[in-house]
Amino acid sequence: MSAGKKVEKILLAAGIIVIIFLAVLIVWQSDRIGVSKAGLEKDAREKQEIEDDWTMAQDVNEDLCAMLFYDEDQDEYVYSVYLSHEGMSFGYFYRQGGTDEYIGESVKGIVYEDKGIALMSMNHDKVCRIQVESPEGEKNIQVDPAKPFALVLPSECGEITMYDASENIVVLYDAYTG
């Protein structure tokens, strides 16, 4: 094989490697590769600088993940919400997070179009049961009244009613589209 042909093959191989590298870089930069379901907690803790010893309440479906991190005394908390993207993408992408007075005082509901509804609370109202109306009928979800919670509901659910241990209705003070 002549020296000229060797140089051509080396240049061709280098060109292919550069094209593959650029394609991977473009896909990475286009927000098509997110965080896997298994990596959500780690990603939220890193992005929001959440202490490792804080407890987490989490619920996740194929489109939405709601996480609520809190300290041992339940005095401090941080929430994180991740969504999947439409089309050709993999994983979940950070949407919003931080602290919110409604989560600390009552229950916050955030509707994410067709992705679902995130309910998060430090549970000072001692919610123990959440009743959800849906096309399939009524569904009762049990919640530990002594612990904060994060819950993901389907977007097509109907009325949401929350109860404390005495069967008093707990008001959902804040619900908006996120």
Side-chain angles (χ1 to χ4, degrees), residues 60-84:
V60 61
N61 66 19
E62 61 276 354
D63 295 316
L64 171 63
C65 175
M67 293 177 279
L68 182 59
F69 299 88
Y70 54 94
D71 67 352
E72 183 179 354
D73 298 327
Q74 297 182 9
D75 293 329
E76 296 182 59
Y77 63 91
V78 174
Y79 78 95
S80 293
V81 175
Y82 284 72
L83 299 175
S84 64

Side-chain angles (χ1 to χ4, degrees), residues 126-143:
K126 307 292 184 211
V127 172
C128 67
R129 181 170 63 94
I130 300 172
Q131 183 178 339
V132 180
E133 300 292 332
S134 72
E136 294 84 36
E138 186 178 282
K139 180 179 178 183
N140 285 296
I141 302 165
Q142 300 302 314
V143 176

Side-chain angles (χ1 to χ4, degrees), residues 57-61 63-68 79-83 95-97 100 102-103 106-122 130 132 141 149-158 160 162 172-178:
Q58 177 189 42
D59 197 13
V60 61
N61 66 19
D63 295 316
L64 171 63
C65 175
M67 293 177 279
L68 182 59
Y79 78 95
S80 293
V81 175
Y82 284 72
L83 299 175
R95 173 65 178 261
Q96 71 184 80
D100 186 289
Y102 287 108
I103 293 172
S106 186
V107 181
K108 179 170 185 102
I110 310 170
V111 179
Y112 292 99
E113 295 126 19
D114 60 343
K115 305 274 187 200
I117 302 167
L119 294 179
M120 292 174 280
S121 175
M122 288 303 291
I130 300 172
V132 180
I141 302 165
F149 64 86
L151 186 64
V152 172
L153 301 173
S155 57
E156 66 273 359
C157 75
I160 301 167
M162 297 174 291
L172 177 62
Y173 285 106
D174 193 34
Y176 73 96
T177 302

Side-chain angles (χ1 to χ4, degrees), residues 4-5 17 20 45 87 124 131 140:
K5 290 209 181 243
I17 290 171
I20 291 171
R45 286 185 188 275
H124 293 301
Q131 183 178 339
N140 285 296

